[in-house]
Every structure is written in C-alpha cells, then in structure tokens.
Amino acid sequence: MKKGLVLEGGAMRGLWTAGVTDIMMEHDVWPDGLIGVSAGAAFGCNYKSRQAGRAIRYNTRYARDSRYSGLKSLITSGDYFNAQFGYHVVPYKYDIFDVQTFEHNPMEFIVVCTDVMTGQAVYHTMNHVDYDELEWLRASASMPLVSKVVHVQGFHLLDGGVSDSIPLEHFESAGYVRNVVILTQPQGYQKEHNRLMPLMRMALSKYPNMLKALDERHLMYNRQLQYVADAEQEGRCLVIRPEEKIPIGHISHNADEMRHVYELGRKVGERNIERIKAFYHEN
C-alpha cells in the first residue's frame, strides 16, 4: 500500500509547511511518494534530499539579498524571484542541495506545473537533478504577474497551483492510497475570485486557456477542498492544516517573520507527528 504526501503551495506560506515536513523528517517518517505544487514543490524537494532545515535556512539568509528576489530582479529579469541565482547558483554554491541523496532516494517526487497553452496541469516526475529538472521546479513556483513563462522541454509553464492546487485526486489515481495532505489555509477557508484578473488579462493575453484557468481557479480550488474533506471523512487521507491564517504574505523579506511562520509549522508538526505515524501504519 503506497503512502503519499501531498503539499499544497501558497508562496511564503510554504515555510509553514516546511516546518511540518522538517518534523516529519526528524522523526524518520518517509512516505513512498511526494507530490508538490508551487512552494510545496520548491521546498518539498528537500524532503527527497533529506535536508531538514534547508528551506528556512536559505530563505532567511537571502531574505534581503537583491540577487535572490525583489523589484530589481523583477525589473531586470522579469522574475521577482531571480531564476538563475535562486535555482542554479544557491543550490550548487551557497546552500548545497544534496543531489546524490535526492537521486538515490527511491521516493517518487512529482512536480505540478500549469501549461499556459492549454491551461491544464502537467505532472512531471523529477528523479534526477540537472538544469532542466530545476527549471521544472522553478516553473511550478512561478506566480503569474511576477514571473516569466518558463520554457522547458517543449512546454510553456507557470504556477502549478493555477490548474491543480491540491493534487490529492491525481495522486490517488497514481496508486497512493494513504495520503497525508498538508494545506496552508485554515479550516473553513474558501478561495474567492481573483481580483487581479484585469492585470492577468493584460499580462497573459496570448494565453486564453491560461486566463480561463485563472478566472475559474477559485471554483477548482473550492471543489478540491471538498474532495479532500470527503477523503478525510472516509479515512483515505489525513489533513494537516494551520489553526488560523498564516501570518505572512505571498512575498516577504522579513527573516524574523519567516522564522516565526516556520516555527508555527514545527509546533503543529510536533502535535501531529504521532497521528501521522499511526495513519501511515494503518492497514
């Protein structure tokens, strides 16, 4: 029976998730597969490489570094989070990504992106690390308006959360029957229609299918919340969520704020770690 871990995105809310998953790693909890969306993928890759603490470490270290993120990067490169520095320099030079462990770990790692040509989700299995594979990771976390379309292996990609924000249904269809789902919104949250659609329509006018997906994203997301709730009630998944709204925006340059959010995640992880272990070991 395959055990899975499903990580929602949420930009910097992903540091809360990293707090939970670091606790899971520190307690030797190793699912058979992980599917991550946006920040869930960008930070979740550290689970497969078994590097607890890495996500919070490099985010706080480079919180105010213009090479990593900021308006300068957006103006000069078209990406708020600098593509070259963040995805192709930091992992090899400044906060080393354990490529060997990642590639030898049998855990399946799936990255969710959105194809801007179709508006549909693309599910990419990442089992090795090279320039293109890191571009898939970047594409999953590339938020519209503050990111350029990522071109990799014939695809034109942006944020995976636009097309499949909580990919539990996809993971179940792939054979994962006991899934821990980590959400980044509290109980009762419902997504509203995107107020930035007028800007989206200007910025992404060449991609009508992407615009349709963005326009209907709140409907898709709320349906997925119901799917997760039904699966939770039936015992197919265990949901870990924040108890209240995570106190951080999509973008932050405040290292103390990041650490606070991360520690909140760790606390929830500690409170739930025995439940997670028990759930994975149930038949």
Side-chain angles (χ1 to χ4, degrees), residues 104-149:
H104 285 86
N105 186 345
M107 176 193 294
E108 186 175 27
F109 181 71
I110 298 177
V111 176
V112 184
C113 302
T114 301
D115 186 329
V116 300
M117 305 302 293
T118 66
Q120 299 298 309
V122 180
Y123 305 94
H124 178 75
T125 300
M126 183 176 169
N127 50 30
H128 68 282
V129 180
D130 59 20
Y131 189 93
D132 277 356
E133 293 301 302
L134 292 172
E135 287 291 274
W136 278 98
L137 206 60
R138 176 169 78 91
S140 182
S142 289
M143 297 180 291
L145 295 183
V146 295
S147 308
K148 294 186 299 185
V149 173

Side-chain angles (χ1 to χ4, degrees), residues 258-272:
M258 293 178 187
R259 291 189 193 96
H260 176 62
V261 166
Y262 172 75
E263 289 299 327
L264 289 176
R266 287 188 63 89
K267 289 177 182 177
V268 171
E270 287 281 13
R271 286 199 295 271
N272 286 279

Side-chain angles (χ1 to χ4, degrees), residues 45-62:
C45 65
N46 298 300
Y47 208 123
K48 184 170 167 65
S49 67
R50 301 196 171 196
Q51 290 178 280
R54 183 172 178 270
I56 187 61
R57 186 172 61 239
Y58 71 74
N59 274 284
T60 53
R61 179 178 179 183
Y62 297 106

Side-chain angles (χ1 to χ4, degrees), residues 54-263:
R54 183 172 178 270
I56 187 61
R57 186 172 61 239
Y58 71 74
N59 274 284
T60 53
R61 179 178 179 183
Y62 297 106
R64 297 189 182 278
D65 192 322
S66 62
R67 295 174 299 171
Y68 185 63
S69 65
L71 289 177
K72 180 180 178 181
S73 175
L74 180 62
I75 293 168
T76 58
S77 73
D79 289 296
Y80 192 91
F81 291 93
N82 188 276
Q84 184 62 28
F85 185 78
Y87 288 89
H88 302 292
V89 175
V90 170
Y92 290 108
K93 186 175 181 180
Y94 295 122
D95 199 314
I96 308 302
F97 186 64
D98 190 341
V99 173
Q100 184 174 10
T101 296
F102 182 95
E103 294 183 344
H104 285 86
N105 186 345
M107 176 193 294
E108 186 175 27
F109 181 71
I110 298 177
V111 176
V112 184
C113 302
T114 301
D115 186 329
V116 300
M117 305 302 293
T118 66
Q120 299 298 309
V122 180
Y123 305 94
H124 178 75
T125 300
M126 183 176 169
N127 50 30
H128 68 282
V129 180
D130 59 20
Y131 189 93
D132 277 356
E133 293 301 302
L134 292 172
E135 287 291 274
W136 278 98
L137 206 60
R138 176 169 78 91
S140 182
S142 289
M143 297 180 291
L145 295 183
V146 295
S147 308
K148 294 186 299 185
V149 173
V150 179
H151 303 278
V152 57
Q153 296 175 346
F155 288 93
H156 311 279
L157 306 168
L158 279 175
D159 184 358
V162 174
S163 54
D164 194 351
S165 297
I166 312 169
L168 173 61
E169 186 173 7
H170 175 82
F171 224 28
E172 287 184 333
S173 71
Y176 287 88
V177 297
R178 294 200 69 76
N179 293 290
V180 172
V181 180
I182 302 183
L183 303 180
T184 59
Q185 296 287 6
Q187 183 79 47
Y189 173 81
Q190 290 281 288
K191 186 176 285 296
E192 298 179 353
H193 186 255
N194 193 329
R195 292 174 294 177
L196 297 177
M197 278 309 300
L199 291 176
M200 298 284 189
R201 290 189 177 96
M202 288 189 289
L204 296 165
S205 60
K206 295 190 298 183
Y207 307 110
N209 291 323
M210 182 67 170
L211 287 172
K212 185 175 187 293
L214 284 162
D215 199 31
E216 298 177 354
R217 183 182 181 186
H218 63 300
L219 303 175
M220 174 273 295
Y221 184 88
N222 294 334
R223 283 195 299 269
Q224 291 190 325
L225 283 179
Q226 186 59 55
Y227 184 91
V228 170
D230 291 343
E232 182 179 27
Q233 186 173 16
E234 294 168 10
R236 303 199 320 267
C237 76
L238 174 66
V239 180
I240 307 297
R241 55 169 64 86
E243 295 164 355
E244 56 188 11
K245 183 178 179 180
I246 297 173
I248 198 168
H250 278 75
I251 293 168
S252 175
H253 297 284
N254 187 323
D256 290 336
E257 183 178 57
M258 293 178 187
R259 291 189 193 96
H260 176 62
V261 166
Y262 172 75
E263 289 299 327

